[in-house]
Amino acid sequence: MAAAVLKSEIADKASVKVVEAFVAMRRFLSANAQVFQRLETIEYKLLENDQKFDQVFAKLEEKTLKPKQGIFFDGQIFDAYEFICDLIKSATSRIILIDNYVDESVLTMLDKRNSGTTAAIYTQKISKQLALDIAKHDAQYPAIPVKTLTKSHDRFLIIDERIYHVGASIKDLGKKWFAVMKMEEEDANNLISRL
């Protein structure tokens, strides 16, 4: 504005330089519009990810995120026991255990379930000792039906609609290496329909 009012050679040169600066700035902005748009998109995505990280950290602090699978090594008896017990405690409606080697310790673990949650066991053979353990258990605690099933080699733990493939018998957790793997929900429905 001062260059327009003043009438001198320096004022005229300053006025031209100001106009050139604005033209150069406009060219720069139009030439790099995509870069600025990408930066804005990146900034938006970073804000979204920050919110997601905040949610994950909040859940971790609440300790409500439960692992869905894991590998346990020999000697990790308590860790494996706690993992399976946490799965049992997470059930809200039903628990089905398919395991060919069951003893009274399995009944004790299943008693950790929430009230109103049913439990059932399918095993290859009900020995006299197991039948006695079941009878004594059911006389004091909510009954756990135990049925024979000779068609299964592997062990499965069904918690509500979730199914876990368990590499070791529940009674032998942590004695040797084994894994617990969460399977697809449709696998649970297919398996239950065959029981």
Side-chain angles (χ1 to χ4, degrees):
M1 288 175 67
V5 171
L6 298 173
K7 301 290 182 190
S8 72
E9 188 178 324
I10 295 174
D12 290 342
K13 287 180 180 177
S15 183
V16 170
K17 292 288 183 190
V18 168
V19 171
E20 286 175 352
F22 277 108
V23 169
M25 187 173 70
R26 186 173 178 161
R27 282 187 189 137
F28 176 79
L29 289 175
S30 64
N32 296 301
Q34 288 181 337
V35 172
F36 292 122
Q37 190 175 19
R38 284 184 178 172
L39 285 173
E40 186 177 333
T41 303
I42 289 170
E43 184 179 12
Y44 179 75
K45 290 197 183 263
L46 284 173
L47 288 173
E48 279 183 340
N49 288 336
D50 282 349
Q51 291 173 346
K52 289 177 184 175
F53 279 122
D54 289 343
Q55 290 172 351
V56 168
F57 290 134
K59 290 289 184 188
L60 287 172
E61 287 175 5
E62 293 173 12
K63 297 182 180 178
T64 56
L65 283 179
K66 300 288 184 199
K68 59 183 183 179
Q69 58 192 23
I71 297 176
F72 299 92
F73 299 97
D74 52 321
Q76 286 187 292
I77 296 169
F78 183 76
D79 292 343
Y81 172 82
E82 184 181 37
F83 181 87
I84 296 296
C85 286
D86 284 348
L87 289 177
I88 289 169
K89 291 175 188 174
S90 74
T92 58
S93 61
R94 71 174 171 193
I95 300 169
I96 299 172
L97 173 65
I98 300 171
D99 189 337
N100 287 336
Y101 305 100
V102 177
D103 65 9
E104 74 279 357
S105 68
V106 175
L107 299 171
T108 303
M109 289 176 73
L110 290 174
D111 282 337
K112 294 179 179 289
R113 69 190 186 276
N114 295 314
S115 68
T117 300
T118 63
I121 298 172
Y122 290 83
T123 190
Q124 187 172 7
K125 182 181 176 186
I126 301 174
S127 67
K128 288 182 182 179
Q129 182 61 52
L130 181 58
L132 180 63
D133 292 340
I134 294 165
K136 289 184 182 283
H137 172 274
D138 291 353
Q140 183 175 350
Y141 298 104
I144 298 176
V146 179
K147 300 175 184 175
T148 57
L149 176 69
T150 59
K151 295 180 180 179
S152 179
H153 174 271
D154 289 357
R155 287 149 300 276
F156 299 95
L157 180 62
I158 300 168
I159 305 291
D160 299 328
E161 302 304 317
R162 302 180 313 269
I163 182 170
Y164 298 87
H165 180 260
V166 183
S169 287
I170 300 295
K171 72 178 188 66
D172 296 324
L173 296 175
K175 292 182 180 176
K176 291 184 179 181
W177 294 12
F178 78 98
V180 177
M181 296 176 25
K182 185 174 186 282
M183 301 178 72
E184 298 296 324
E185 193 171 306
E186 53 269 9
D187 293 326
N189 296 331
N190 189 16
L191 191 132
I192 292 168
S193 69
R194 293 173 182 262
L195 287 177

